[in-house]
């Protein structure tokens, strides 16, 4: 996907003058850096001092170790799966090869590579993911647990290959700061996990190629931080990776400065990226997980190296952990909100390890659990390793005495009912910063689960680059459980990661104190400018009848007059749900652990209802279980006009 001149103008319009000045300085620096890069300082005699404490590996649960070793053996055999694409070429990987398109990214000066153009480069996510080297942290962890040198030897072979094939500032792997930051964090953990291997020092501190790569990665991150409207999760990854490397590889004259600058950046941006309630400001749950992982990993490096960390860093991570514990459903799944690209900060576990359970287990080990927290199995590799490094700290913070249901600053509310009914109501900001890069046009959407099963589902993300029709669909208003008015979205898109007009939402009332009836009401003004109306939605969950009632109202503002307004109301069912639609009633059935479950969805009779399933022209009726993957699911669309005084009433009743 190449960017037009119009896109650059729209992007420029979302920047403040200070950001524009910083980007101009970056452009000048990139021109200067075209010449041969300088040599890294000589670090002869350097030592690695960040080994795991004694006993850390012994604390890894047996089932977690078994999953990890099974994954490591799969990797040794050359097999891996990224974003729905199975690969069997990992014995001798091509670092610029995209298995999805069959293309190889072009060689040359890094900042000349058109990485957004899938027709030229291939799928950049596929190319970048392998070079985050998180599969190598898995192999290194398998070595640490088993002592089997085959794992360590494969790690060394691949690192030497990558360092030789990707010299500083050449090729696609030197384009994006988040990639460099995550890669540095992986290298720190690889060195730590290989510490008992006789070849570890020869691979890292006694290897000029490794030393040069580590130095040039940090030099790059110091020169080109994400700025202004781009200072989202990317800048957290950059700061965390820079800080981790400057702690663990404290070998260079610039290490102390890099460490101090990265810690200041991490502290500042963790606070700016996080609401006081603890939820991530991007309102994209996967990025809440990524930022929390990165923050915990950075604190682990600080404590391992004896570097003092501002209390605000730990406080933000504590609030993020408590917020995550508050919003998960009975299966420990958080909301599916906003963009999700399956990105991780630190990977040392095998397939099948629950990401959210792992994060909560780490939070319990580091901060302590509260009485209202859900039970967490705690069977992962990462938790005991991080807990062995992170030192206990008394934090001057009050924690929620009971499970929060409403996060006012984020506009997120969870209604809970019997039978593990879980309902998320969205009345928060459109997204973070002026471009809201990872937001979806989902104001006032609801997401409903029963005992951990998606019933009214958020369809997910599926893709970023190269498939514009699918990108538009999965982040559109029609692609969420909310009301579309007219022909467009609530918010205006200027590109795949750029919103030029943001719907403003507000929560009007919340009552979750009554155990019998919980209520929520919100509205947004996304259609005020184009259509002269405001959309208001009320949601009521009644425990006794196991009934969820949704009422949508469309209110014309006083100064507005216009023709009849077309409306489409969408309800996206989870992939496990079968639906029989007759008129305006849908009979829903599914199974949970082999037991049949059912519900009835009574839809507004003023609208004409149709079921859509796996349609492609245009896309409609899809669910994305993870980045790069999609599967058909049923979407119910009601079409008509939004001129009824009584609004549209939808009732979902769970049976049994």
């Amino acid at each position: 996907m190449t960017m037009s001149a119009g896109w650059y103008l729209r992007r420029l319009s979302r920047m403040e003058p200070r950001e524009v000045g910083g980007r101009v300085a970056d452009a000048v620096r990139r021109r200067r850096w075209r010449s041969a890069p300088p040599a890294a300082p000589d670090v002869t005699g350097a030592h690695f001092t960040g080994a795991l404490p004694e006993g850390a590996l012994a604390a890894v649960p047996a089932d977690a170790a078994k999953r990890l070793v099974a994954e490591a053996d799969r990797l040794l055999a050359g097999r891996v799966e990224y974003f729905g694409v199975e690969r069997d070429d990992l014995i001798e990987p091509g670092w610029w090869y995209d298995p999805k398109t069959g293309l190889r990214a072009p060689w040359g000066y890094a900042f000349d590579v058109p990485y957004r153009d899938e027709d030229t480069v291939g799928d950049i996510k596929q190319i970048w993911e392998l070079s985050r080297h998180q599969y190598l942290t898995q192999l290194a962890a398998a070595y640490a647990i088993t002592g089997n040198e085959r794992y360590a030897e494969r790690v060394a072979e691949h690192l030497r290959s990558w360092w030789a094939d990707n010299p500083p500032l050449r090729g696609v792997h030197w384009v994006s700061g988040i990639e460099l930051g995550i890669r540095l964090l992986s290298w720190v953990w690889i060195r730590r996990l290989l510490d008992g291997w006789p070849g570890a020092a020869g691979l890292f501190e006694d290897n000029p190629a490794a030393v040069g790569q580590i130095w040039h990665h940090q030099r790059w991150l110091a020169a080109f931080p994400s700025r202004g409207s781009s200072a989202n999760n990317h800048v957290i990854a950059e700061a965390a990776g820079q800080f981790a490397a400057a702690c663990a590889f404290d070998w260079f004259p610039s290490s102390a400065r890099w460490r101090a600058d990265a810690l200041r950046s991490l502290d500042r941006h963790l606070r700016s990226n996080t609401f006081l309630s603890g939820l991530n400001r991007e309102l994209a749950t996967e990025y809440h997980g990524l930022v929390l992982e990165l923050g915990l990993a950075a604190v682990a490096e600080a404590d391992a190296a004896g570097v003092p960390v501002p209390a605000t860093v730990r406080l933000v991570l504590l609030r993020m952990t408590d917020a995550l514990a508050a919003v998960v459903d009975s299966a420990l799944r958080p909301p599916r909100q906003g963009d999700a690209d399956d990105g991780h900060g630190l990977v040392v576990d095998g397939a099948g390890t629950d990401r959210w359970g792992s994060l909560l287990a780490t939070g319990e080990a580091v901060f302590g659990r509260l009485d209202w927290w859900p039970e967490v199995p705690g069977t992962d590799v990462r938790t005991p390793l991080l807990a062995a490094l992170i030192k206990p700290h008394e934090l001057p913070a009050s924690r929620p005495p009971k499970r929060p249901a409403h996060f006012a600053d984020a506009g997120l509310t969870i209604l809970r009912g019997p039978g593990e009914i879980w309902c998320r109501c969205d009345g928060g900001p459109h997204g973070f910063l002026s471009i809201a890069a990872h937001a979806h046009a989902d104001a006032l959407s609801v997401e409903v689960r029963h005992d951990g099963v998606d019933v009214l589902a958020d369809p997910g993300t599926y893709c970023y680059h190269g498939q514009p029709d699918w990108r538009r669909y999965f982040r559109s208003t029609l692609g969420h459980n909310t009301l579309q008015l007219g022909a467009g979205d609530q918010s205006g898109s200027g590109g795949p990661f750029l919103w030029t007009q943001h719907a403003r939402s507000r929560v009007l009332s919340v009552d979750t104190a009554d155990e019998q009836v919980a209520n929520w009401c919100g509205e947004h003004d996304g259609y005020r400018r184009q259509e002269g109306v405001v959309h208001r939605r009320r949601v009521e969950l009644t425990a006794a009848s196991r009934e969820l009632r949704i009422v949508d109202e469309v209110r014309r503002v006083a100064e507005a007059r216009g023709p009849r307004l077309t409306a489409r109301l969408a309800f996206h069912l989870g992939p496990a749900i079968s639906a029989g639609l007759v008129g305006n009633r849908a009979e829903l059935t599914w199974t949970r652990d082999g037991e049949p479950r059912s519900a009835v969805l009574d839809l507004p009779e003023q609208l004409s209802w149709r079921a859509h399933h796996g349609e492609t022209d245009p896309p409609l009726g899809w669910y994305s279980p993870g980045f790069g993957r999609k599967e058909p699911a049923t979407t119910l669309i009601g079409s008509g006009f939004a001129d009824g005084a009584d609004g549209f009433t939808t009732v979902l009743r769970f049976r049994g």
Side-chain angles (χ1 to χ4, degrees):
M1 180 184 298
T2 56
M3 298 302 177
S4 66
W7 179 87
Y8 285 102
L9 289 174
R10 292 190 297 272
R11 184 67 181 84
L12 185 64
S13 72
R14 308 304 293 177
M15 298 181 193
E16 296 293 333
R18 182 176 179 180
E19 180 181 354
V20 174
R23 289 178 181 268
V24 169
D26 288 347
V28 172
R29 186 174 294 111
R30 286 168 182 160
R31 289 181 64 86
R32 288 206 315 265
W33 280 25
R34 280 182 176 275
S35 58
D42 181 16
V43 298
T44 301
H47 297 284
F48 181 75
T49 58
L52 284 169
E54 188 174 351
L57 292 167
V60 173
D63 58 338
K66 183 178 179 180
R67 287 195 304 272
L68 170 63
V69 171
E71 182 67 16
D73 287 342
R74 184 168 177 250
L75 292 168
L76 274 185
R79 299 193 301 273
V80 72
E81 183 267 320
Y82 289 137
F83 312 132
V85 177
E86 292 281 350
R87 301 184 63 162
D88 61 3
D89 61 342
L90 217 61
I91 293 177
E92 294 183 2
W95 301 114
W96 318 309
Y97 174 68
D98 167 28
K100 180 176 149 187
T101 63
L103 295 176
R104 287 173 60 86
W107 182 249
Y109 182 57
F111 297 115
D112 290 341
V113 177
Y115 68 95
R116 293 188 181 97
D117 186 352
E118 186 164 311
D119 293 335
T120 301
V121 174
D123 185 332
I124 193 61
K125 288 285 291 177
Q126 289 284 346
I127 297 172
W128 278 344
E129 189 68 18
L130 190 66
S131 287
R132 289 187 171 188
H133 290 170
Q134 292 173 330
Y135 77 98
L136 296 181
T137 58
Q138 292 173 302
L139 286 169
Y143 163 77
I145 287 172
T146 67
N148 187 331
E149 294 195 1
R150 291 189 307 146
Y151 302 125
E153 289 163 358
R154 179 61 58 83
V155 171
E157 179 185 338
H158 281 204
L159 283 179
R160 292 181 191 277
S161 167
W162 196 93
W163 291 331
D165 289 353
N166 294 275
L169 295 174
R170 292 297 179 266
V172 74
H173 297 302
W174 291 88
V175 176
S176 175
I178 186 175
E179 304 304 318
L180 278 75
I182 289 176
R183 193 156 51 241
L184 276 177
L185 185 58
S186 294
W187 293 350
V188 168
W189 273 86
I190 290 167
R191 177 62 184 87
R192 172 172 291 129
L193 293 164
L194 294 185
D195 195 58
W197 181 53
L203 179 62
F204 278 92
E205 55 265 32
D206 295 338
N207 179 4
V211 170
Q213 287 277 352
I214 293 167
W215 185 79
H216 277 288
H217 271 64
Q218 293 184 85
R219 175 178 180 255
W220 193 108
L221 289 171
F224 301 112
S226 291
R227 301 179 183 277
S229 55
S230 294
N232 52 12
N233 64 85
H234 284 229
V235 78
I236 302 291
E238 294 161 9
Q242 177 82 301
F243 179 72
C247 287
F249 303 138
D250 182 18
W251 304 333
F252 308 108
S254 299
S255 290
R257 174 172 56 84
W258 285 338
R259 185 166 55 243
D261 290 348
L263 184 56
R264 278 194 297 271
S265 176
L266 185 68
D267 181 27
R268 172 191 168 197
H269 289 292
L270 274 175
R271 285 183 282 117
S272 65
N273 274 251
T274 310
F275 289 112
L276 287 177
S277 66
L279 290 178
N280 184 265
R281 285 183 182 270
E282 292 199 73
L283 294 173
T285 311
E286 288 278 348
Y287 289 111
H288 182 106
L290 174 64
V291 169
L292 182 53
E293 288 174 355
L294 291 165
L296 289 168
V299 169
E301 295 306 326
D303 287 356
V307 176
V309 170
T312 45
V313 171
R314 298 181 197 269
L315 282 171
V316 169
L317 299 176
L318 170 63
R319 292 187 184 121
M320 292 183 72
T321 305
D322 281 340
L324 177 61
V327 301
V328 295
D329 65 15
S330 60
L332 300 183
R333 295 175 60 225
R336 281 168 54 92
Q337 184 179 17
D339 271 349
D341 69 354
D342 299 354
H344 291 261
L346 173 64
V347 181
V348 290
D349 275 281
T353 303
D354 180 71
R355 175 187 199 168
W356 308 107
S358 170
L359 272 172
L360 290 174
T362 303
E364 182 174 332
V366 172
F367 302 120
R369 63 175 286 113
L370 296 171
D371 291 341
W372 54 261
W373 269 36
E375 291 298 323
V376 179
T379 56
D380 66 312
V381 174
R382 188 176 59 189
T383 289
L385 301 189
L386 286 175
L389 294 173
I390 298 176
K391 304 294 190 294
H393 276 74
E394 290 292 330
L395 296 175
S398 59
R399 299 174 69 182
K402 60 181 182 179
R403 190 175 204 168
H406 177 56
F407 296 80
D409 47 11
L412 184 146
T413 306
I414 304 293
L415 309 181
R416 297 178 188 269
E420 301 295 352
I421 298 171
W422 176 99
C423 173
R424 171 179 66 88
C425 303
D426 176 14
H430 174 61
F432 182 48
L433 302 174
S434 62
I435 64 172
H438 291 297
H440 290 187
D442 57 356
L444 307 193
S445 64
V446 296
E447 186 184 3
V448 181
R449 300 175 192 160
H450 184 277
D451 201 12
V453 175
D454 289 311
V455 179
L456 302 182
D458 184 298
T461 300
Y462 178 54
C463 67
Y464 281 169
H465 299 288
Q467 298 172 280
D469 290 345
W470 290 102
R471 176 65 171 153
R472 279 191 292 269
Y473 169 69
F474 274 100
R475 67 179 197 146
S476 70
T477 298
L478 192 64
H480 295 83
N481 298 316
T482 189
L483 181 66
Q484 181 195 52
L485 299 174
D489 291 328
Q490 310 153 335
S491 296
S493 173
F497 297 98
L498 172 62
W499 294 94
T500 55
Q501 181 260 322
H502 300 188
R504 294 176 299 178
S505 302
R506 59 176 181 150
V507 176
L508 301 176
S509 63
V510 176
D511 183 0
T512 59
D514 189 334
E515 294 184 359
Q516 296 305 309
V517 181
N519 293 281
W520 174 91
C521 181
E523 69 178 18
H524 78 83
D525 68 353
Y527 295 113
R528 184 182 185 116
R529 187 173 61 180
Q530 313 99 298
E531 311 293 352
V533 297
V534 171
H535 173 207
R536 178 173 294 182
R537 168 170 276 186
R538 300 194 307 274
V539 180
E540 180 180 276
L541 176 59
T542 304
S545 59
R546 299 161 57 86
E547 176 181 293
L548 187 77
R549 181 177 294 266
I550 303 169
V551 179
D552 290 292
E553 300 174 354
V554 179
R555 303 185 173 203
R556 287 201 178 271
V557 295
E559 67 272 16
R561 294 290 184 272
R564 298 182 76 190
L565 186 60
T566 59
R568 288 196 290 179
L569 181 59
F571 290 106
H572 300 263
L573 307 182
I577 308 298
S578 297
L581 177 65
V582 178
N584 68 312
R585 169 169 285 196
E587 297 278 349
L588 312 183
T589 57
W590 66 99
T591 60
R592 178 73 161 93
D593 296 330
E595 297 181 1
R597 308 286 177 90
S598 64
V600 175
L601 185 62
D602 285 321
L603 301 158
E605 61 185 8
Q606 309 101 303
L607 301 175
S608 176
W609 289 91
R610 285 188 58 195
H612 303 265
H613 190 83
E615 299 172 12
T616 58
D617 190 19
L620 196 57
W622 295 92
Y623 178 93
S624 175
F627 194 81
R629 293 175 287 148
K630 67 180 187 299
E631 58 187 276
T634 299
T635 295
L636 305 174
I637 301 288
S639 302
F641 295 94
D643 53 5
D646 297 331
F648 304 121
T649 299
T650 304
V651 180
L652 174 63
R653 297 182 185 88
F654 292 96
R655 293 168 170 159

